[in-house]
Amino acid sequence: MRRNLIAEGSPLWADEYHWTMSNAWFENNMHNDFKTSEAFFRKNSPDCGYIVSAGLGEVLEWLDNWHLSKDDVDWLRSKKNSAGGRLYSDDFVNFVKNEKLAINVKAVPEGELVFANEPLYSISGPSWQVEVVEAALLNVVNSQFPVATKASRAVLAAGADGVERRVMEFGLRRAMELGGYSAARAAFIGGCAATSNPSAARDYGIPSSGTMAHSWVMSFEDETDAFKAFLKTYPHDGILLPDTYETRQGIKNAVRASDETGIPLKGIRIDSGDLAYWSKEARKILDESGKQDTRIIASNDLDEFLIENLVLVQKAAFDCFALGTKLVRADDMGALGAVYKTKSYQGKDKIKVAQGKTTIPGSTNVLRTLKNGKYTGDIIARPDNNTLRHGKITETVVSYHLQDETQQPRKFEKGISGYWLLQDVVVDGKVDIRHKARSLWDIQNAVKENLQCLDAECRRLCNPHVYGVGITEEIRKKQQYLIQAYQHKYGR
């Protein structure tokens, strides 16, 4: 039976090693040691200059419901080790079954734009709880961030010539998640106007949309009769699919069905063949028939690259785009590769020293700077950094570029605007309802506004300019000191 982990708040939404480590910490009386871990990704996906934050609302709903149910406790008790004994001690299970959430969470709000190496979540509190929430956070980040980003890029591509066109998510049948909920939610955040998934639309309160399938046309002996019957059933919403047999004749039959029934033809959807060619042919046939208001919708394995080509290069006559597989799977972006690393333990900064995977030590936040309403760069800094007051930087900040270490340190001058990216969303185990209950419409609008703050060179689909992200001199010195210390201790 599939469980609703978010509604149940089950802490078993985790990898098993989180629980084996928690048990071991308990047995060594380290389970309540204070630690901080942060989630981040090491590099942007190819040809993607930014990433859209999504999914925090669902994380907070899960944390708000967080508790071990009787079934969870029984499962922990049932786990056996290789010798046939219990994997988890009775004392440990008795301890965790009554424990309430006690962590603190700082997170990037949904709808913000984020970049490589920046903290997305910063979690602090009892070591066992900080560890147990890792997999759920990464599960959300690695699945929803790419879809929201892909959707935002498709929306930008659809309006690349300055004409606003709707983009819809039609990907349920190709989604990797049972039910397609998170993909529909993330796609809406990214800018999609509607989803084809009625269940997700109902649960999230977002618009749903659909046309017809070839199976409807094939259930009639005559294509025109199929179109007439559909228009009569939906006299205000009739969108027809004209490419079941022969596309040109199908378009003409759609016009004929509308004329003979007297019902306006709201739109047609082209799902095969040379999309640009057929959009222009359709526009010509429709206009000559007096149906200038009939919209033309494109589907069939679309992504932002094909949409941009259709709009800018081929000058296709589409009014809307419906994306499925390549949106909800975001295959070309992958799973983002977000990771979760210990940053401090019992007040001491920690670092992972590994080739290509060395981490930034200590708890961090991101200071985002702006000038004339445009982002000018991000600075990863200590949370207690006091250079920002009342939205202004009070003294010059030196930042060392992370993506290109050959660059000279950059100085952010006193007086420029800025804000801290990570915000408190859980304090002492209590979820901030303002972030949990935030409207998806508000988040979608935030994406639009934030994209306008990002230079066009960073938004372009191919070979985008690398947005500047750096670390403060204080963090850089600490990182170098710890690297040298660990190399001395363990050898190169």
Side-chain angles (χ1 to χ4, degrees), residues 281-438:
E281 289 296 298
R283 187 74 274 157
K284 180 180 179 182
I285 293 170
L286 291 168
D287 288 351
E288 289 175 350
S289 304
K291 294 179 171 33
Q292 290 85 356
D293 293 333
T294 298
R295 295 179 298 165
I296 305 174
I297 303 165
S299 55
N300 189 28
D301 283 342
L302 299 177
D303 64 9
E304 66 268 38
F305 300 104
L306 179 53
I307 291 174
E308 184 180 61
N309 184 271
L310 287 168
V311 169
L312 292 182
V313 179
Q314 301 187 67
K315 308 295 183 182
F318 289 113
D319 303 290
C320 308
F321 297 97
L323 283 71
T325 305
K326 292 182 178 179
L327 171 58
V328 299
R329 294 173 63 102
D331 286 342
D332 62 327
M333 294 189 65
L336 193 61
V339 295
Y340 188 88
K341 299 300 178 185
T342 298
K343 303 300 292 295
S344 70
Y345 196 93
Q346 291 288 71
K348 294 184 178 180
D349 290 350
K350 295 293 182 178
I351 188 172
K352 176 181 177 180
V353 182
Q355 186 173 8
K357 293 185 177 182
T358 299
T359 58
I360 297 170
S363 302
T364 60
N365 201 331
V366 179
L367 176 56
R368 176 154 294 168
T369 64
L370 303 94
K371 187 174 183 180
N372 298 324
K374 291 288 186 180
Y375 299 150
T376 53
D378 288 0
I379 308 164
I380 299 175
R382 297 290 195 192
D384 58 359
N385 185 295
N386 61 3
T387 58
L388 183 70
R389 294 178 185 173
H390 307 296
K392 299 288 185 180
I393 292 179
T394 59
E395 59 186 71
T396 299
V397 180
V398 177
S399 177
Y400 292 80
H401 202 289
L402 283 173
Q403 287 87 5
D404 186 357
E405 294 183 355
T406 65
Q407 286 195 15
Q408 292 294 315
R410 183 179 176 188
K411 292 183 179 181
F412 291 83
E413 301 295 339
K414 174 182 176 180
I416 67 171
S417 301
Y419 64 93
W420 290 108
L421 196 56
L422 273 70
Q423 299 182 15
D424 291 313
V425 296
V426 180
V427 178
D428 296 331
K430 303 298 182 183
V431 172
D432 187 330
I433 190 67
R434 293 172 299 175
H435 290 277
K436 174 190 169 187
R438 192 175 170 205

Side-chain angles (χ1 to χ4, degrees), residues 212-220 226 241 244-245:
M212 62 158 50
H214 298 291
S215 60
W216 172 263
V217 177
M218 296 169 70
S219 63
F220 290 77
L241 187 64
T244 303
Y245 304 115

Side-chain angles (χ1 to χ4, degrees), residues 163-193:
V163 178
E164 186 174 345
R165 299 177 179 86
R166 283 163 52 94
V167 173
M168 297 172 287
E169 177 268 311
F170 277 19
L172 172 60
R173 66 187 65 190
R174 307 292 171 80
M176 299 296 287
E177 171 215 9
L178 189 63
Y181 286 96
S182 64
R185 184 183 189 277
F188 185 77
I189 285 174
C192 284

Side-chain angles (χ1 to χ4, degrees), residues 9 107 121 126 132 227 235 349 361 395 453 459 488:
Y121 287 87
V132 163
F227 290 161
D349 290 350
E395 59 186 71
C453 295
R459 299 196 305 261
H488 177 74

